[in-house]
Amino acid sequence: MINTSAIDIFLIVNDMLDMAKMEAGKFGLVKEAVDVREIIADRIDFYQVQATLKNLQFAHMVDEAVPDAVELDPMRIRQALNNLISNALKFTEPGGTITIHALHHVAGEDLVKEAAALGWEWFVTEADERLRSAPDSVLMAVSHPEQGIPKEQISEIFSVYK
C-alpha cells in the first residue's frame, strides 16, 4: 500500500509540475539517445510490486527493427508510460496481462499492416491516415485485456475539462 500510494503521489506531482511549466511557457524536451528496451524494462520493474499484489503479469513486445538508440526525452517517455501503466493496473482484472509494445513505424507505411507483419493487432484503425504521414518513428502503447476507453470517448482524451 505504501508503494502504491507513493507511486500515485509521484505521478500527480509530476503532472502538476508539467502543467505549471506549460502554463509558464517553459515546458521543454531534453532529447538523448536511449534504448527503448531499457526504459520498458525499467518501468516493468518499477510497477512489478503493484502488479504482483493484484495478480497481474507484464509482457513486452518490441519490434526487432526498433534501433538500440532512439533520440527522445527519456523522462517524458517514462512519464507517459507511468500514466498508461498506472491506468492499466487500475482497470485490469486479476489474472490479466498488461503488455507494453514498441513498434518501428516507417514513414508512409500503413501502421496496421506494419503491426500485422509482426503478428500484432495494433490499436488504430486503417482510417487513421495521420499516422501514415508521421516520420520514421518508434510508437509505444500499453494494452490490457479489458474493454478500455469507448471509441466515442477517445477523441476527448486530451481535451481540457473545466
Side-chain angles (χ1 to χ4, degrees), residues 29-110:
L29 298 175
V30 179
K31 289 185 179 182
E32 59 185 84
V34 297
D35 187 342
V36 170
R37 292 163 188 83
E38 287 180 15
I39 290 176
I40 291 171
D42 175 65
R43 294 299 81 200
I44 289 172
D45 287 345
F46 185 78
Y47 285 100
Q48 189 60 60
V49 171
Q50 279 184 278
T52 300
L53 289 172
K54 205 171 168 193
N55 189 28
L56 299 173
Q57 301 294 315
F58 279 115
H60 62 280
M61 300 170 74
V62 179
D63 181 353
E64 290 180 12
V66 170
D68 291 336
V70 178
E71 287 284 324
L72 52 79
D73 186 330
M75 186 176 83
R76 300 292 175 221
I77 295 298
R78 282 187 189 92
Q79 187 176 21
L81 286 173
N82 284 344
N83 289 328
L84 295 170
I85 294 169
S86 178
N87 283 338
L89 285 165
K90 289 176 191 170
F91 297 109
T92 303
E93 294 295 324
T97 300
I98 297 168
T99 306
I100 303 170
H101 307 262
L103 175 110
H104 181 258
H105 168 65
V106 177
E109 295 295 322
D110 184 317

Side-chain angles (χ1 to χ4, degrees), residues 99-144:
T99 306
I100 303 170
H101 307 262
L103 175 110
H104 181 258
H105 168 65
V106 177
E109 295 295 322
D110 184 317
L111 180 59
V112 174
K113 289 179 182 175
E114 288 175 310
L118 296 169
W120 302 358
E121 181 180 346
W122 200 246
F123 312 97
V124 295
T125 65
E126 291 181 32
D128 196 342
E129 287 296 316
R130 293 174 296 163
L131 292 174
R132 182 185 299 269
S133 62
D136 286 6
S137 308
V138 174
L139 304 176
M140 298 178 73
V142 175
S143 66
H144 58 92

